[in-house]
Amino acid sequence: YVSSGLKVDVHVFFFTQNVQYMFGVVGIPVIEIAMAAQAVGIKYIGMRNEQAACYAASAVGYLTGRPGVCLAVSGPGLIHALGGMANANTNCWPVLVLAGSSDRNQEAMGAFQEFPQIEACRLYSKFSARPNSLEAIPAIIEKAVRTSIYGRPGACYVDIPGDMVTSKVQESLLRTVPCCLPPPVAMADPQVVSQAALIIKNARRPLVLIGKGAAYSHAEYSIGKLVNLYGLPFLPTPMGKGVVPDNHPNCVSAARSRALLYADVILLLGARLNWMLHFGMTPRFHPDVQIIQVDLCAEELGNNVKPAAALLGDVNAVVEQLLDCLRANPWSYPSSSEWWVYLREKIKSNQEVSKALAAQKTLPMNYYTVFHNIQALLPEDCIIVSEGANTMDIGRTMLQNYLPRHRLDAGTFGTMGVGLGFAIAAAMIAKDHLPQQRVICVEGDSAFGFSGMEVETICRYNLTIIVIVVNNNGIYSGLDEDTWKEISKLGETSIVAPPISLLPNAHYEQVMGAFGGKGYFVQTPEELQKALSTCLADQEVPSLINVMIDPSSDRKTQDFVWLTRSNL
């Protein structure tokens, strides 16, 4: 008999499935699971909140293609993890959530933290199950891992009743399940590929739109060839940045609205026509645009628009198919075309506006000044994690990515609080494979508040993450200290602070200092440059730079307001 059934289960079932990272918050009944995971070589990272643990585990799934595990206790612990599961499922990132639950013989009796966990998780996952015996665990774990990475990736849940953790099982009854194979690579119908290639060749105003699905499929080499050989302008989505470097001459991110509005043919690579791309509809897209969709999920093809060609398959494989078709009849889109002239005109105009905003000498600083100074110092191979409202949106346009899968942000679900969990995951992977690679986590002050206690996790594991809090004293905008004091005069019990305001000049850097890291409070460009240079040179301890900016600072005037509505 095995003295602890689950201890062997973790060894045989998780390690066999090539699971390398587990993030969690332990308690009854899962403490033994975390200890067993460590015993067999799985890296267990104890977090301060299950949401952050699940965010970290899902980021591992995106960065490595193999799911990380989120370990949670029963009831409230699992409920906290649901936010991370929903985010992973919406982002299409593989993650496996493993939670303890009430003992089976106490079901429906009002057991400690009893909750319908399997039913709750089904809404947020691709697969949700409880093994009916210890002997069944290997097959359930294999199916959960396989389901998380096959087809459209996503979250899976396995429920482990507390009595299973300490039960015994006869070893000879266990059925060994081998590691699941890598996801099969699907290719599109060659006839439809030929049709799509012809549409691209005949385009007057083509545009390649690169989504995070392209990054996940490691399509950087094939897409780079497509852009370089045929002179096509491209526009990355936030996490599609770096598949082709942001400083590539064909990148039209600085003319995003114009590119989307006037393109007559769009090659959509691993991105969905949801709110992030304005549903592919007017007023943000041309009413007669032809969209070629490339996606590995059949149900996604035709969402919101009728595609001119629907290519079902792995992004990398399908782009290689397109390249084969285009090579058959050599052709290139002319860089002197009216379309390129029109795009470059807008790129130049927008860049000049951003440069003017970044060059402003007034204090407090604005977003553009902050990001200009950050960008000037960042290593090209750093991983940028970003979240917040204006912090993330403006940072996306000014902080450059040169490598694929080097930007992590709030993603499709628009989730705040993901930043530190994502950064911890990225830093753990970097520590194992590229120790010199830096992880830079750029947060709004409101976003930092969602998971700020994970700073202790960062310090406990000595992850040399640089956290930059862009502090405007609020959500979207805040109040300066003088205005706050005037409001406070109304009396402690009757403060009428706007709902978007936070405490002015909060010293978030002291949170990092409290746990042994280094904190910096900066108010000028010179102080920011000095602090960031110091942090980048220090490979020993984590750091946090608290950057004070003008509470009323905002993004530059847009042709379109947020989401889909036009200002025109």
Side-chain angles (χ1 to χ4, degrees):
Y1 284 83
V2 178
S3 60
S4 173
L6 199 59
K7 189 174 290 187
V8 170
D9 293 344
V10 171
H11 170 71
V12 176
F13 315 140
F14 283 112
F15 215 56
T16 299
Q17 297 304 323
N18 197 21
V19 169
Q20 299 178 34
Y21 299 94
M22 180 181 286
F23 304 82
V25 180
V26 297
I28 297 171
V30 300
I31 297 173
E32 292 87 351
I33 298 177
M35 295 174 69
Q38 285 186 324
V40 297
I42 293 173
K43 293 179 175 65
Y44 175 81
I45 300 93
M47 306 287 281
R48 299 303 299 264
N49 181 277
E50 291 88 357
Q51 265 191 330
C54 202
Y55 296 144
S58 65
V60 164
Y62 172 66
L63 293 170
T64 69
R66 209 74 188 176
V69 173
C70 171
L71 180 67
V73 300
S74 51
L78 186 274
I79 291 171
H80 291 165
L82 290 179
M85 288 181 69
N87 187 71
N89 226 34
T90 305
N91 259 359
C92 307
W93 289 1
V95 68
L96 177 56
V97 176
L98 179 70
S101 61
S102 308
D103 290 3
R104 288 169 292 179
N105 62 359
Q106 296 175 358
E107 193 164 343
M109 294 176 65
F112 175 66
Q113 296 185 333
E114 185 173 2
F115 184 70
Q117 296 183 183
I118 301 167
E119 293 83 352
C121 289
R122 283 194 177 121
L123 186 60
Y124 308 102
S125 63
K126 295 179 67 181
F127 173 74
S128 180
R130 173 197 280 186
N132 59 15
S133 66
L134 289 172
E135 293 85 352
I137 290 178
I140 293 293
I141 294 297
E142 189 276 340
K143 182 167 184 178
V145 171
R146 176 164 42 86
T147 304
S148 75
I149 60 176
Y150 276 35
R152 172 177 279 177
C156 291
Y157 173 68
V158 176
D159 189 85
I160 304 293
D163 56 300
M164 277 192 176
V165 177
T166 54
S167 293
K168 296 180 180 180
V169 61
Q170 192 171 345
E171 195 167 2
S172 61
L173 298 178
L174 292 174
R175 181 170 63 91
T176 302
V177 178
C179 184
C180 64
L181 295 171
V185 176
M187 300 177 73
D189 182 338
Q191 191 171 348
V192 184
V193 174
S194 298
Q195 177 190 349
L198 186 60
I199 293 171
I200 294 169
K201 282 185 175 183
N202 290 332
R204 295 175 55 211
R205 300 182 302 277
L207 178 66
V208 178
L209 233 168
I210 304 171
K212 68 174 175 285
Y216 184 79
S217 98
H218 290 246
E220 51 267 22
Y221 181 66
S222 59
I223 294 175
K225 282 196 294 185
L226 181 71
V227 167
N228 289 322
L229 288 174
Y230 303 108
L232 298 171
F234 73 91
L235 174 67
T237 65
M239 276 185 276
K241 283 164 62 68
V243 170
V244 183
D246 282 345
N247 61 353
H248 192 286
N250 289 26
C251 181
V252 296
S253 289
R256 182 181 190 271
S257 292
R258 179 169 290 188
L260 292 178
L261 182 56
Y262 293 104
D264 66 346
V265 170
I266 292 177
L267 176 60
L268 187 68
L269 300 174
R272 288 167 283 178
L273 293 173
N274 54 22
W275 69 274
M276 294 186 77
L277 288 175
H278 320 289
F279 314 108
M281 297 178 177
T282 57
R284 300 301 297 266
F285 285 72
H286 194 281
D288 299 321
V289 65
Q290 296 185 83
I291 295 178
I292 301 166
Q293 277 187 282
V294 181
D295 203 286
L296 52 69
C297 178
E299 290 81 0
E300 191 60 42
L301 301 173
N303 264 358
N304 298 324
V305 300
K306 183 179 179 180
L311 303 176
L312 176 63
D314 174 79
V315 174
N316 185 49
V318 173
V319 173
E320 288 289 354
Q321 287 181 281
L322 278 169
L323 286 168
D324 288 341
C325 275
L326 292 169
R327 284 192 202 100
N329 297 292
W331 153 90
S332 180
Y333 190 76
S335 61
S336 59
S337 67
E338 289 184 12
W339 179 227
W340 263 121
V341 170
Y342 193 49
L343 289 173
R344 289 189 184 114
E345 173 189 78
K346 188 63 172 176
I347 290 170
K348 182 180 179 182
S349 171
N350 282 344
Q351 286 177 339
E352 287 175 352
V353 171
S354 294
K355 284 179 183 177
L357 288 167
Q360 287 182 5
K361 301 297 184 183
T362 55
L363 296 176
M365 294 180 285
N366 62 39
Y367 284 103
Y368 292 86
T369 302
V370 170
F371 288 126
H372 171 75
N373 284 279
I374 293 173
Q375 173 58 37
L377 294 172
L378 289 187
E380 288 196 359
D381 67 342
C382 72
I383 294 177
I384 299 173
V385 180
S386 182
E387 65 169 331
N390 290 338
T391 298
M392 182 174 65
D393 292 341
I394 299 172
R396 182 187 70 231
T397 65
M398 297 197 67
L399 299 181
Q400 302 289 290
N401 287 96
Y402 307 100
L403 297 168
R405 298 168 296 282
H406 277 56
R407 178 183 165 91
L408 301 166
D409 68 20
T412 311
F413 211 30
T415 309
M416 292 297 106
V418 298
L420 294 185
F422 285 179
I424 288 167
M428 287 297 300
I429 295 169
K431 196 172 186 178
D432 289 342
H433 302 285
L434 294 167
Q436 299 304 311
Q437 187 176 58
R438 303 310 300 267
V439 176
I440 316 295
C441 183
V442 186
E443 305 252 308
D445 51 330
S446 171
F448 177 76
F450 281 86
S451 56
M453 192 51 68
E454 297 302 336
V455 165
E456 188 273 334
T457 308
I458 292 171
C459 290
R460 185 168 10 113
Y461 290 94
N462 197 32
L463 303 172
T464 54
I465 297 165
I466 300 172
V467 181
I468 302 175
V469 177
V470 183
N471 189 349
N472 69 345
N473 301 338
I475 304 168
Y476 300 111
S477 62
L479 300 175
D480 60 52
E481 197 160 23
D482 290 340
T483 305
W484 181 265
K485 287 178 180 177
E486 288 299 315
I487 290 177
S488 299
K489 288 177 183 177
L490 295 172
E492 284 188 37
T493 59
S494 58
I495 293 177
V496 191
I500 60 174
S501 63
L502 299 172
L503 192 67
N505 297 339
H507 283 265
Y508 297 109
E509 77 284 354
Q510 294 180 6
V511 178
M512 180 65 82
F515 299 114
K518 293 183 179 178
Y520 303 84
F521 183 81
V522 306
Q523 297 176 290
T524 69
E526 294 76 19
E527 290 173 349
L528 174 57
Q529 289 175 2
K530 183 179 178 181
L532 183 54
S533 296
T534 302
C535 294
L536 288 168
D538 188 346
Q539 296 277 357
E540 301 299 323
V541 297
S543 52
L544 189 152
I545 305 172
N546 185 15
V547 185
M548 301 307 303
I549 67 168
D550 185 344
S552 61
S553 179
D554 204 349
R555 68 189 76 187
K556 65 183 176 64
T557 304
Q558 306 288 304
D559 292 335
F560 289 82
V561 295
W562 196 56
L563 296 179
T564 60
R565 295 173 291 279
S566 173
N567 275 337
L568 302 178

